[in-house]
Amino acid sequence: MKFLDQSFEYLVHGMFNPSNEEFDEHDYDSKEYKNLEHKREYFNLMLNELGAVGWEVVSMWDDPRKDKKIAPLVGREKITKFLFKRSSRSKHYRTGFGANIIAINELAKQQAEANHIN
């Protein structure tokens, strides 16, 4: 899509962001609680990384998951979906997704463990 001599590319990406209610359902030192902390760190780091590589959030919505294969992986049947756009004025335009999911996941795991008060 062109607008004022610039083009845009769009991306839809879904991420699980645990709610405070989900944290309240588990004991602070439980494995489930620590897993939710990891998912929240991943969510925040991924949003920051996508912003750093030129993606701008245009819209977000909750996507109720009906697929039973996915639901156990995320804990709940709800994923937040984002619509991102990136302008041709960005130096990262047409360079692909631009985020190293594996590295972000590892960093999120390390930060969640470091931030968990024992």
Side-chain angles (χ1 to χ4, degrees):
M1 174 177 276
K2 285 219 178 241
F3 180 72
L4 299 177
D5 292 333
Q6 64 180 321
S7 297
F8 297 96
E9 58 184 336
Y10 293 89
L11 166 75
V12 174
H13 185 63
M15 293 182 284
F16 176 68
N17 185 21
S19 68
N20 289 338
E21 291 172 350
E22 291 171 274
F23 279 98
D24 290 343
E25 292 174 2
H26 301 286
D27 182 53
Y28 181 75
D29 287 322
S30 70
K31 181 179 179 180
E32 293 84 6
Y33 193 96
K34 292 176 183 178
N35 192 24
L36 291 172
E37 287 179 321
H38 171 234
K39 290 176 181 179
R40 183 168 280 172
E41 283 293 329
Y42 175 84
F43 178 86
N44 291 328
L45 289 172
M46 182 58 78
L47 277 181
N48 286 333
E49 181 65 18
L50 289 172
V53 293
W55 292 108
E56 177 182 341
V57 175
V58 175
S59 178
M60 64 184 269
W61 64 95
D62 288 335
D63 181 24
R65 302 298 292 189
K66 302 291 185 215
D67 185 351
K68 298 300 180 193
K69 294 177 187 172
I70 300 293
L73 298 175
V74 297
R76 294 288 178 140
E77 295 189 21
K78 183 175 69 170
I79 292 177
T80 303
K81 292 259 183 138
F82 292 88
L83 173 62
F84 294 95
K85 86 174 177 184
R86 185 162 55 185
S87 166
S88 57
R89 294 180 181 174
S90 169
K91 70 179 182 178
H92 301 285
Y93 183 68
R94 295 201 187 247
T95 60
F97 187 61
N100 184 339
I101 294 173
I102 295 170
I104 291 170
N105 188 48
E106 281 300 311
L107 182 58
K109 185 177 182 180
Q110 292 170 5
Q111 285 187 355
E113 289 172 1
N115 292 338
H116 187 83
I117 302 169
N118 291 334

